[in-house]
Amino acid sequence: MKSTTEIAVVKSIAEMRDWQKHIKAQAAGEQKPAIGFVPTMGALHEGHLSLIRRAVKECRHVVVSIFVNPMQFGPQEDFDKYPRPFEKDLELCRQAGAEVIFHPSAQEFYKNGRDSSTKVIPPEELTNRLCGLSRSGHFTGVATVVLKLFSAVLPDKAYFGEKDYQQLCVIKRMVDDLNLPVAVEPVPTIREADGLAMSSRNVYLTADERRRAPELYRTLCTVREEVTAGRASLSDALKMGRERLSRIPEFSLQYLEACDAESLEVLKEAKQPMVILIAAKLGNVRLIDNLVVRS
Ligand code: AMP
């Protein structure tokens, strides 16, 4: 295990398991959960750090994984150019209080090749909508890698951002369906001052696109306000939101929908809790965001 100051980088599954066995043996009788886990693809920002800080507050030891998972990228997507500032990420994790960075190679993780590997296929009722429509196989890649990460790290609690709301639903469902002994903890979305949801992909935006990007969040807020103030039905508010974005030529809207916050069933009429979700391309950059509406 290669150590930097107060943080360790673990590259193999066997070493990761040895560490967690040792930690769990020490933790017997402790009140706090032993291992909190934050899976990421790196290029860390305040959104990731809020997950890590929550984990540090709630758990005795925190593992952050940094793994750009080839299985969740489509052939035309940005796997090769995805940012990988590893040393900077390591320092941010150290400052946030993480103890171990799990950083396997793709070879270590997909020994039999990613295509012939056993996969976890989440139920269609969660994946045949929203991001699943334009990202075929994406949630299979996500569920598979998260299960593999869980079985290497064996965490007590795992932290996921509401920013990737459909992903969060897929993970919760996998944990439930497969009886995994992990508590999934959702963490609210962290935004820039102008409302843009933080994302590792925001660095791809040109200056002009960056100025326009908060329009996604503004559209979500307008839909929520129209509906909760009773000024418009849900379908009219969504229609207005779609029209508003279609008037900005730089945006190519993929979806703007409202869904049941648990089942992700697409709603025709407002109910609570519900989640309003949006995805659009701005130039070449695909952005997603959502707002949970709770009473
Ligand atoms: P990623 O590195 O994009 O795979 O994200 C790793 C984790 O960080 C996922 O659980 C994301 O939902 C979460 N995350 C990403 N962006 C944000 C954000 N702006 N606020 C809160 N959580 C986030």
Side-chain angles (χ1 to χ4, degrees):
M1 194 182 290
K2 181 186 151 208
S3 262
T4 61
T5 46
E6 306 155 39
I7 195 158
V9 179
V10 170
K11 295 198 169 185
S12 78
I13 297 166
E15 219 181 345
M16 193 64 243
R17 292 214 180 108
D18 282 350
W19 178 81
Q20 70 79 20
K21 265 189 209 141
H22 170 71
I23 288 301
K24 288 206 167 157
Q26 281 184 339
E30 291 284 344
Q31 294 298 312
K32 272 189 178 181
I35 301 177
F37 178 44
V38 181
T40 82
M41 298 203 298
L44 303 181
H45 50 66
E46 276 300 315
H48 299 109
L49 298 179
S50 76
L51 272 62
I52 299 172
R53 293 192 192 108
R54 246 291 284 286
V56 167
K57 212 184 277 175
E58 295 179 359
C59 305
R60 295 181 60 232
H61 306 275
V62 172
V63 179
V64 177
S65 63
I66 297 180
F67 181 62
V68 185
N69 173 34
M71 200 192 271
Q72 71 190 67
F73 285 78
Q76 308 304 326
E77 294 183 359
D78 55 346
F79 176 73
D80 287 332
K81 73 165 189 170
Y82 199 84
R84 291 166 170 88
F86 183 72
E87 293 302 324
K88 183 175 165 222
D89 286 346
L90 200 58
E91 181 54 22
L92 288 171
C93 287
R94 196 187 61 74
Q95 286 170 10
E99 201 170 309
V100 170
I101 303 302
F102 183 41
H103 184 52
S105 65
Q107 218 178 5
E108 164 79 7
F109 228 46
Y110 294 111
K111 285 200 181 71
N112 297 318
R114 84 175 221 210
D115 292 335
S116 45
S117 172
T118 301
K119 296 185 181 71
V120 179
I121 302 172
E124 267 201 30
E125 72 213 45
L126 287 180
T127 59
N128 64 3
R129 62 200 62 176
L130 307 171
C131 292
L133 290 175
S134 59
R135 302 193 75 188
S136 162
H138 170 69
F139 290 111
T140 294
V142 168
T144 302
V145 80
V146 171
L147 181 61
K148 286 171 69 67
L149 289 165
F150 282 0
S151 66
V153 176
L154 297 179
D156 301 286
K157 283 189 171 198
Y159 296 80
F160 291 87
E162 283 184 348
K163 157 78 175 27
D164 299 279
Y165 198 88
Q166 191 173 12
Q167 167 174 291
L168 173 65
C169 294
V170 164
I171 301 300
K172 278 195 202 159
R173 180 67 177 267
M174 174 181 77
V175 164
D176 202 27
D177 284 345
L178 303 183
N179 309 323
L180 303 180
V182 183
V184 173
E185 300 289 338
V187 181
T189 301
I190 303 294
R191 300 178 179 282
E192 303 285 357
D194 60 9
L196 175 65
M198 289 192 181
S199 163
S200 305
R201 291 191 165 98
N202 291 351
V203 296
Y204 300 152
L205 296 169
T206 63
D208 185 51
E209 288 163 354
R210 174 64 190 81
R211 270 192 297 280
R212 292 180 194 278
E215 190 58 35
L216 286 194
Y217 180 59
R218 287 197 281 270
T219 301
L220 289 173
C221 291
T222 307
V223 172
R224 177 182 61 184
E225 276 154 32
E226 290 295 304
V227 172
T228 55
R231 284 192 294 270
S233 68
L234 179 61
S235 53
D236 285 347
L238 291 169
K239 194 164 161 239
M240 277 188 280
R242 290 178 193 127
E243 284 167 3
R244 176 187 164 131
L245 270 179
S246 67
R247 282 194 293 272
I248 307 173
E250 287 80 1
F251 278 108
S252 164
L253 180 66
Q254 294 189 336
Y255 61 77
L256 170 60
E257 300 282 5
C259 292
D260 180 285
E262 285 296 318
S263 68
L264 278 192
E265 181 198 347
V266 177
L267 298 175
K268 298 228 178 324
E269 283 171 28
K271 64 179 277 203
Q272 291 189 14
M274 67 174 178
V275 55
I276 309 167
L277 307 104
I278 196 164
K281 282 191 95 170
L282 181 52
N284 290 323
V285 189
R286 186 172 181 277
L287 299 174
I288 60 170
D289 200 352
N290 68 81
L291 266 187
V292 183
V293 185
R294 299 184 173 100
S295 43

